[in-house]
Amino acid sequence: MSPSAPVRALAGALAGVASFLLVERVARADALEAVGSELHEVEGQARALDAVVAEAPRAREVGAEHRLANAQALLAEKDYTRAAFLLMDVVERYPDSAVYPEALFYLAESLYQLGDLQTARIYLLKVVEKPGSKAYQLALLRLVELALRTEDYTNVEDYLAKLAAVPPGQVEPSVPYVRGKYQYFSGQLDAALASFAEIRVGNPYHMHARYFSGVCQVAKASKTGNFDDAQKTFLEVLKLAAKTDGEKRIHELAQLALARIHYEKGEAQQAISRYQNIARTSDLFDAAFYEIAWVYIKDNQFKKALGALDLMLLAAPDSPLAPEVQILEGNLLIRLGDFGKATELFARTRDHYDPIWRDLDAKMAQQKNPAAYVNALLGESLQATEIAVLPKLAVSWAREEKQLVTLVGILSSLRDIEQSLAEADRLLTSLDRGIDGPARARIFPDLAIGRGRSLEVENRLVALRDRLGQITRDIVSGKASGAEMQELASIADERKAVEEEIRKLPKSSEAYETRAGAARDDFDGVDRKVSELNVLVEGLRAELVAMEKYFADTNAGKKAEEEAFRRQANEVHALIEDVQKVMAAIRQDVSDIKLAVGIGDSQSRHEDERKRRYAEILTREHALIARLAARLGPAEQARVQRAGVLVQRATAVQAIVDDFNIQLDGKIEERLTDIRRLLDEEKRSQIEYRDAQKQFTGEAKVVGAEAAEAGFKGVLHRFYSIVVQSDVGIIDVAWALKQEKTDAVTKLVKDQKGELKSLDQEFSEVLQESQ
C-alpha cells in the first residue's frame, strides 16, 4: 500500500531537515578541520621563532672601515667639519686598524680644507712614517702643497726625495706637477720646466702643466725680453679641450697671459683681441677691461681707454677695481682737457668714499671684539646683520687681505665645530630616547625580525580563536536558558567592542612595516612643511637685510630715524629667531617620533592590550559554551570538545610566543648594555670636545683681535687712499687749469714780445732811412 500524500510530504520535509542538518554538521566539521590545519601551521611558526633570530643576519658592528667610508662620503660633500670629527674618532679608537694611515690622511685633509694647516701637518707627518700605506704619496704631496701655501719650504726637498724613491709604476699622476710647482715658486725655473715636461697627454694634470710651463717661460722672458716660447705654450694650452670648470679657468688665464705678452711686445690690437675673449660672466672680466684701458693708454688713445673703463663699470659696477677705475677716468679726462667732468668725477668719488671710510674707521674703533666684527663683515657669521649696513666693496677688499681671510677661516671652522657639537648633543639625546623607547627592538635588525614574526603568530592565533568562538557559538545556539542567553549576550557585547579592531590587525611582519612606513611618510610630510616654512622665514630674513641696506644707503646721518629703524629691525630679527627655534624643535620632535614608530611602538602596545582583553573574553565565552554542551547531542558535544582541544592548543602556542618574547627582551637588554656603555663614552668625549672648543675659541678671539685689527687697517687704508687720490685729482685739475692759464699768458707774452720785436725792426728801418 502506498503512503498517503501528507505522509509523503512529511517524510520529504524530515528528509530535507536531515539533509540540512547533515550539511551543517559537515560544514562545521570542515570549519574545525580548516582551523586545526591552520593552527598546526601556526604551531610550526611558533616553534621556529628561536631559529629565526639565530639565523637572521646580526647587525654588523660599525668599525674603522665603515666609519672611514662614511667620512669619505662627507668629504665628497665638502662637509669637512663632520668628516674631521668622525675621522678623529677612528684615529683615537682604532690605531691598530689597517685603515689607520688612510684615516690619518683624510683627517689631515679635512683640517687642511678647514684652514688648520699646522694640525694638518702633524697628521700628515704621521702618515709618511709608514711608506707602505695607500695614503703615503698623497700625504707627501699634500705636505708639499702645504709648504707652498705657508711659504715654509724647510723639508720639501726631503718630501720630494721620498716621492722620487717610489717605484715608477706606482707614482701618482700629480707627483711631477706638484714637484714642478714647488720648483717654480722656489725659483728653479729650468727644473720646473723639466718636471712639467714629464706630464704627457692623458695625464689629468697635462693642461695644468702646460699652462705652468708658460708661466715659467714668462718668468724667464722677463730677463731676456723674448716671450716667443711662452706665447707658443699658451697657444698650445688653448688648443687643448677644456672639459672641466678647472680647465675652462685655465683657458681664461691663458687668454690673459697671451694678452699681456702682446702688451709687452707693443702689439696693442692683438692684446685687445685676447682680452675681449674673456666672457662677461667671468670674474676676470673687469680685470681684462681694466688692462685694455692701459693698452690704449700706452698707445696714447685716451678716448678709447675711457670707453673701455666705462664699459667695465657698466658691466661690473661692484668690481673691487671700481674706485681705482674712477680715479683713472678722472686722470684721463684731465689728459683730454675735459676739466669740468674730471672735477665732477673726482668730487663724486671723494664724496662717496669719504663717509664710508670715516664710518668704518669709527665702527672699528668702537669694537670690543674686532675679530667678531671682521667675521661678520665677511658675511660668514650666522647672525651677521651688521653686514647689511656695510658696503660690498669693503667686503670684497677685506677678502683680499690674507690675514683677514685666514682669521675668518679659523673662526668659521670653530663655528662649524660648535654646530657639529650641538648636532652631536641632539643625536645623543635621540639615541637615548631610542634605546629606552618602546620600539628599541628596531635598533637590532635580527631581533626586530623575531619580534615581527612573534606578532604575526599572535595575530594569527587571535584570528583562529575568533573563528573557533564563532563555530562553537553556532553549535550551542538555541540551547541556552534565559539567564545563560543574557550572559552570552553580555559577553558578546564585550567581544564586539574589540572585535572590529582585532580583525584589522596586521597578519604579517611585512604588514606591520608597511603601516609603520605610512606613518613615517606622514611625519615626513610634516617635516617637509616645516622646511617650506623655514625657506619662507629665510626669505623674510633676506628681505629684512635688504631693507636694512636700503635704509642705510638712503638715510645716512639721520640718527633719530636710524635708531627707530634699528630698534624695529632688531625686534623682527628676534621674532625670526624665535620662529626658527620653534620650527627646529618641531623637526626634532618629528625625528624622535619617527624613531619610535614600528614594531613595539605605542600603537603596537595598545593592540597587545586589546588582544589580551579579547583572549580573556573568548576564554570566558568558551567556558560557558562548554557548560551548555551537556544539553547537546553526542555529535555536537564531540564538535564542542574538539573545538576545546583546539583552543587549548592555541593557548599552548601563545605560551610559546610569550616565552619567546621574554627571552627576546632579555637579548635586547643585553645588547643595549654595550650600546649604553658606548653612549656614555661618547657623552664623556663630547664634554672634552666642548671644553677644547671653548678653549680654542677663546684663544682665537684673543689672537684674532690683533690680526683682525691689523688686517682691517689695510681695508681702511685703501678707502683713505681713494679719498686722498680724489682730492689730489681735484688739485690736479686746478693745477692743470692754472697751467693752462699760465701757458696761455706765456703764449700771449711771447706773442707780444714777437710783435714788439717785429715792430721795432720795422721802425728801425724807417729811422735809418730818415737819417
Side-chain angles (χ1 to χ4, degrees):
M1 185 175 91
S2 63
S4 64
V7 172
R8 288 197 303 271
L10 178 59
L14 289 174
V17 170
S19 175
F20 173 77
L21 291 175
L22 178 61
V23 169
E24 281 295 299
R25 284 196 296 270
V26 171
R28 288 168 185 165
D30 289 344
L32 287 173
E33 187 70 28
V35 170
S37 177
E38 186 172 349
L39 183 57
H40 178 74
E41 182 182 335
V42 173
E43 285 173 332
Q45 277 187 290
R47 293 190 184 96
L49 285 174
D50 287 332
V52 168
V53 175
E55 294 173 5
R58 180 176 174 129
R60 184 167 60 90
E61 295 293 333
V62 179
E65 295 83 357
H66 190 67
R67 291 171 188 243
L68 176 61
N70 288 339
Q72 288 172 320
L74 291 171
L75 282 169
E77 296 171 3
K78 298 185 179 181
D79 192 346
Y80 302 118
T81 302
R82 292 177 64 191
F85 268 107
L86 196 55
L87 290 162
M88 183 69 75
D89 188 58
V90 175
V91 168
E92 290 181 352
R93 290 192 183 186
Y94 305 96
D96 299 325
S97 169
V99 299
Y100 177 73
E102 283 185 84
L104 279 174
F105 170 74
Y106 286 115
L107 174 58
E109 182 66 15
S110 301
L111 296 170
Y112 178 87
Q113 297 296 341
L114 291 169
D116 189 352
L117 304 184
Q118 297 307 319
T119 309
R121 189 199 304 273
I122 292 171
Y123 288 114
L124 288 171
L125 290 172
K126 289 184 178 181
V127 177
V128 300
E129 291 174 359
K130 298 183 178 181
S133 71
K134 294 179 182 178
Y136 177 69
Q137 286 188 71
L138 297 175
L140 287 169
L141 289 168
R142 184 55 85 194
L143 281 168
V144 177
E145 293 277 6
L146 198 150
L148 294 174
R149 192 163 165 182
T150 59
E151 299 180 0
D152 179 6
Y153 305 140
T154 306
N155 297 309
V156 174
E157 294 293 344
D158 179 48
Y159 305 148
L160 293 175
K162 290 180 178 179
L163 285 168
V166 175
Q170 300 175 16
V171 175
E172 289 285 334
S174 59
V175 168
Y177 177 66
V178 173
R179 184 176 65 240
K181 281 176 63 178
Y182 161 70
Q183 290 164 338
Y184 167 76
F185 285 110
S186 61
Q188 305 172 56
L189 298 180
D190 290 329
L193 284 168
S195 294
F196 292 133
E198 295 178 25
I199 303 175
R200 306 297 183 185
V201 176
N203 187 303
Y205 293 91
H206 177 65
M207 184 187 290
H208 301 70
R210 296 308 299 145
Y211 171 76
F212 240 114
S213 294
V215 173
C216 291
Q217 290 162 342
V218 167
K220 294 184 71 174
S222 62
K223 299 176 182 178
T224 64
N226 185 355
F227 292 92
D228 291 346
D229 290 342
Q231 187 172 3
K232 180 181 177 182
T233 301
F234 288 128
L235 287 171
E236 289 176 2
V237 170
L238 292 177
K239 291 178 182 178
L240 298 173
K243 299 177 182 178
T244 66
D245 290 339
E247 291 174 343
K248 291 174 184 176
R249 177 72 171 187
I250 290 174
H251 268 207
E252 289 184 336
L253 293 172
Q255 293 282 12
L256 277 181
L258 285 168
R260 289 163 181 166
I261 288 174
H262 286 304
Y263 174 83
E264 291 294 334
K265 294 170 71 173
E267 299 169 351
Q269 195 54 49
Q270 292 94 322
I272 291 169
S273 177
R274 287 293 176 187
Y275 281 125
Q276 289 176 337
N277 285 332
I278 304 299
R280 290 197 176 203
T281 54
S282 171
D283 61 342
L284 298 173
F285 177 81
D286 54 347
F289 269 73
Y290 185 63
E291 294 183 22
I292 284 177
W294 280 107
V295 174
Y296 283 128
I297 291 170
K298 184 179 181 180
D299 205 32
N300 291 322
Q301 300 185 59
F302 301 130
K303 285 187 177 180
K304 287 187 175 181
L306 198 60
L309 294 175
D310 285 339
L311 181 60
M312 177 205 145
L313 289 177
L314 183 65
D318 295 326
S319 169
L321 295 172
E324 282 88 350
V325 168
Q326 291 171 321
I327 298 297
L328 181 56
E329 282 188 321
N331 287 316
L332 287 172
L333 288 168
I334 292 175
R335 292 282 191 95
L336 293 168
D338 196 341
F339 302 124
K341 282 187 177 180
T343 301
E344 180 185 347
L345 180 58
F346 283 128
R348 188 168 66 246
T349 303
R350 179 198 59 194
D351 293 343
H352 179 73
Y353 291 108
D354 184 65
I356 295 174
W357 164 63
R358 295 182 186 279
D359 182 54
L360 290 176
D361 189 41
K363 284 182 176 178
M364 193 64 183
Q366 294 170 2
Q367 289 300 314
K368 295 180 181 179
N369 188 345
Y373 179 71
V374 170
N375 198 33
L377 173 67
L378 295 188
E380 300 292 345
S381 174
L382 294 176
Q383 299 176 348
T385 57
E386 273 191 289
I387 193 69
V389 298
L390 295 172
K392 290 181 180 178
L393 185 60
V395 177
S396 298
W397 283 355
R399 285 176 175 155
E400 294 175 6
E401 291 287 331
K402 204 174 217 182
Q403 287 176 301
L404 296 183
V405 171
T406 301
L407 173 62
V408 168
I410 293 172
L411 294 177
S412 299
S413 297
L414 288 171
R415 190 169 50 252
D416 288 342
I417 291 172
E418 171 61 29
Q419 287 182 289
S420 296
L421 288 172
E423 184 178 343
D425 284 336
R426 289 191 294 271
L427 181 59
L428 287 171
T429 301
S430 296
L431 288 172
D432 272 337
R433 292 174 181 172
I435 64 176
D436 292 327
R440 57 186 179 275
R442 291 181 58 236
I443 299 173
F444 311 107
D446 54 331
L447 301 185
I449 291 172
R451 180 71 82 196
R453 294 292 173 82
S454 73
L455 284 170
E456 181 179 340
V457 172
E458 281 188 340
N459 291 349
R460 291 187 69 183
L461 282 174
V462 170
L464 288 173
R465 297 188 71 168
D466 179 29
R467 286 163 62 187
L468 285 171
Q470 184 63 47
I471 291 170
T472 53
R473 283 193 295 275
D474 291 343
I475 292 173
V476 301
S477 177
K479 303 298 182 182
S481 65
E484 289 168 337
M485 286 298 296
Q486 188 174 359
E487 185 178 357
L488 276 174
S490 175
I491 292 174
D493 289 340
E494 291 184 63
R495 174 171 43 76
K496 288 176 183 178
V498 294
E499 202 163 43
E500 184 176 355
E501 187 175 353
I502 291 298
R503 287 175 180 169
K504 291 180 180 179
L505 288 174
K507 299 301 187 293
S508 67
S509 54
E510 289 79 10
Y512 268 109
E513 189 52 41
T514 299
R515 185 177 72 179
R520 294 189 198 104
D521 288 343
D522 290 340
F523 286 117
D524 284 338
V526 174
D527 191 61
R528 283 193 296 271
K529 288 291 185 184
V530 176
S531 296
E532 291 170 5
L533 288 173
N534 193 51
V535 171
L536 177 62
V537 171
E538 284 297 334
L540 293 174
R541 187 200 292 277
E543 289 183 19
L544 178 59
V545 170
M547 291 171 62
E548 289 175 313
K549 173 64 177 170
Y550 175 78
F551 185 86
D553 291 342
T554 57
N555 293 272
K558 299 178 181 179
K559 296 239 178 208
E561 290 87 344
E562 184 178 351
E563 289 178 3
F565 179 81
R566 176 55 50 201
R567 183 171 57 256
Q568 293 179 15
N570 287 340
E571 289 176 0
V572 177
H573 275 297
L575 179 60
I576 289 173
E577 293 299 324
D578 290 342
V579 170
Q580 289 188 316
K581 286 178 182 177
V582 171
M583 290 192 295
I586 292 173
R587 298 191 73 176
Q588 184 61 46
D589 288 342
V590 168
S591 177
D592 291 342
I593 292 171
K594 281 173 63 180
L595 284 174
V597 170
I599 294 173
D601 60 14
S602 57
Q603 184 175 5
S604 297
R605 294 200 312 276
H606 170 74
E607 290 170 349
D608 288 342
E609 186 276 326
R610 303 308 284 168
K611 284 187 288 186
R612 285 191 293 271
R613 173 68 177 152
Y614 193 61
E616 175 193 334
I617 294 169
L618 290 176
T619 299
R620 286 164 46 207
E621 187 177 53
H622 189 76
L624 177 58
I625 289 172
R627 293 201 307 270
L628 296 174
R631 305 171 194 168
L632 300 173
E636 284 79 5
Q637 285 185 10
R639 284 193 292 275
V640 170
Q641 289 173 0
R642 187 177 173 191
V645 171
L646 292 176
V647 169
Q648 290 173 0
R649 285 173 59 189
T651 303
V653 173
Q654 182 64 54
I656 294 173
V657 174
D658 291 341
D659 184 61
F660 170 79
N661 285 332
I662 292 172
Q663 293 181 34
L664 191 66
D665 288 336
K667 290 181 180 180
I668 292 172
E669 287 303 317
E670 180 183 343
R671 293 193 192 178
L672 287 178
T673 300
D674 292 336
I675 292 180
R676 289 191 178 99
R677 178 179 52 78
L678 290 174
L679 278 178
D680 288 340
E681 290 179 8
E682 292 293 343
K683 290 174 184 176
R684 287 192 292 271
S685 297
Q686 183 79 350
I687 294 171
E688 294 174 3
Y689 293 151
R690 193 168 287 282
D691 289 342
Q693 187 265 344
K694 289 179 180 177
Q695 179 184 348
F696 292 146
T697 301
E699 292 174 358
K701 287 181 178 178
V702 172
V703 176
E706 296 180 7
E709 193 166 9
F712 197 69
K713 281 180 179 177
V715 176
L716 293 176
H717 179 73
R718 288 185 70 175
F719 276 108
Y720 176 72
S721 177
I722 293 299
V723 173
V724 170
Q725 289 181 65
S726 300
D727 284 333
V728 170
I730 293 172
I731 295 171
D732 286 343
V733 172
W735 182 261
L737 284 169
K738 173 188 174 299
Q739 190 64 42
E740 186 181 60
K741 297 291 185 184
T742 300
D743 291 344
V745 170
T746 301
K747 185 176 183 301
L748 286 172
V749 171
K750 185 178 179 181
D751 290 345
Q752 184 182 35
K753 287 181 178 180
E755 291 176 0
L756 288 172
K757 185 176 180 180
S758 176
L759 287 171
D760 184 58
Q761 289 175 349
E762 290 178 5
F763 279 105
S764 295
E765 293 175 358
V766 172
L767 288 174
Q768 289 175 357
E769 290 176 0
S770 64
Q771 291 176 354

